[in-house]
Amino acid sequence: MDFGVAPEDEVFRSEVRDWLGAHAEAGVDRRSWERTLGADGWIGIGWAEGGYGNRTATLTQQVAWAEEYARSVAPPRSGHIGENLLAPTLIAHGSSEQKARFLPAVAAGDELWCQGYSEPGAGSDLAGVRTVAVREAGGYRITGQKIWTSLAHEADWCFVLARTEAGSRRHHGLSFLLVPMDQPGRIEVRPIRQLTGTSDFNEVFFDGAHARVEHVVGGEGNGWRVAMSLLGFERGVSTLAQQIGFAEELGRVVRDAVRSGAADDPVVRERLVRLWAELRVMRWNALRTLGNSAAEPGAPSVAKLLWAGWHQRLGELAVLVRGAAASVGPAGWSAAAPYELDAAQHLFLFSRADTVYGGSDQVQRTIIAERVLGLPREPKGAES
């Protein structure tokens, strides 16, 4: 049974990951890698409009590139938010001036982006955002807080969903603003330490931050339409590349089960086979809906529900097959030093968030119920 990667390949890839990690500490950072990709023409290969990308490519070629990148153990991307979320949104809704200003910089790997959507009181419910942008001479003054902002500590720019119409409620009166992050005293980024000991997400505080008036995408008050369009780009070709990584993780769990003897348990074997079969189904579903999300409005929500729950179950099995050894880290630790996790421990802990970030399972089910099944809309209280 093929679980996605041969043992000898996994040993090689593990060695490559160690090498990349050591060299990253020596100064080969992710921003340099983005610029290397841009210089070689590998950013924006799917942008068909205006010549802003580096290469033209069919949808099939984009899938091939994304999957081969995932298989190659190349460094994690820090420019994917700009390339896969902002760029398609600008192509669909941006002015010619906005495209000319921002798309070439993304394609070159010169500017990194983060996404200012979720807030402490408005996580998956984006219509409840309270960040305010007040019109002033030449632009907007932004006040509020965003949370779970991936890569904010590295980003040059943030696209922010903010309320530009005083007294507006829910999805009315919102605008989609492009905000420079280099504003000392006006923007503060605070990393959030996770169970894994790392800080991939951040809190971002806007205290009078400035955005130029020409950096409103889609026009003032049209932020909800632009924001929903962006969410439609969030799950596409990248889903298939993600599944390559899932297959590698599953392969490691299988080998751990064989080494520990857990594979002799018929219940464990059944769970492994079920995960393998479900991963195949996810791939077929992703291929079936690829490029056809407009015809199937619930497809992104179905995909998110499928992979999030699957990944959590894989994480649970990853520590189960290790037995008591799963509670011991790969290195000694003390209260004064960050702890380390091995691959299985990191998978288990990080995957606990899978059913929350990117739209919680509850929100995905509500979307399917209302937009696909036509069930009555969920009451939103007095602000509806």
Side-chain angles (χ1 to χ4, degrees), residues 141-345:
R141 186 176 69 257
I142 305 169
T143 304
Q145 179 187 357
K146 298 294 181 177
I147 197 168
W148 309 121
T149 311
S150 301
L151 303 177
H153 56 297
E154 299 180 25
D156 304 293
W157 289 80
C158 180
F159 49 88
V160 177
L161 190 63
R163 200 164 292 282
T164 50
E165 180 183 331
S168 62
R169 295 180 180 273
R170 303 301 298 166
H171 59 276
H172 303 288
L174 298 171
S175 295
F176 189 97
L177 308 173
L178 308 181
V179 183
M181 292 293 287
D182 186 14
Q183 299 190 47
R186 295 183 174 184
I187 297 180
E188 179 184 0
V189 177
R190 298 181 189 173
I192 300 172
R193 193 177 185 199
Q194 301 152 217
L195 285 173
T196 55
T198 57
S199 299
D200 302 292
F201 307 115
N202 305 270
E203 293 179 282
V204 181
F205 296 85
F206 298 94
D207 186 9
H210 180 77
R212 293 167 59 177
V213 69
E214 62 265 31
H215 292 166
V216 179
V217 178
E220 185 177 286
N222 294 319
W224 184 256
R225 178 172 61 90
V226 177
M228 292 301 100
S229 175
L230 181 143
L231 292 177
F233 299 124
E234 193 167 11
R235 303 174 186 109
V237 171
S238 59
T239 300
L240 290 162
Q242 177 191 54
Q243 292 167 7
I244 300 295
F246 286 172
E248 291 196 28
E249 290 176 336
L250 177 56
R252 287 197 294 269
V253 174
V254 170
R255 291 189 292 279
D256 282 345
V258 172
R259 281 193 291 264
S260 69
D264 296 332
D265 184 337
V267 174
V268 171
R269 291 202 302 272
E270 190 275 337
R271 290 176 67 176
L272 288 169
V273 172
R274 180 177 292 275
L275 287 169
W276 175 84
E278 290 172 345
L279 184 58
R280 287 293 189 270
V281 171
M282 283 193 288
R283 176 173 176 77
W284 295 331
N285 183 63
L287 288 170
R288 179 182 65 83
T289 60
L290 189 63
N292 195 36
S293 59
E296 299 190 53
S301 293
V302 170
K304 176 62 167 59
L305 281 172
L306 287 174
W307 73 252
W310 183 93
H311 204 219
Q312 277 192 354
R313 294 193 297 276
L314 179 67
E316 292 163 359
L317 192 57
V319 294
L320 175 67
V321 302
R322 296 271 299 281
S327 63
V328 180
W333 64 279
S334 68
Y339 55 82
E340 294 184 28
L341 301 173
D342 62 29
Q345 292 165 336

Side-chain angles (χ1 to χ4, degrees), residues 7 16 19 26 34-35 45 48 87 103 157 168 214 224 285 337:
V16 173
W19 184 92
E34 290 297 318
R35 287 173 174 152
I45 64 173
L103 294 181
W157 289 80
S168 62
E214 62 265 31
W224 184 256
N285 183 63

Side-chain angles (χ1 to χ4, degrees), residues 20 68 324:
L20 288 169
E68 289 308 308

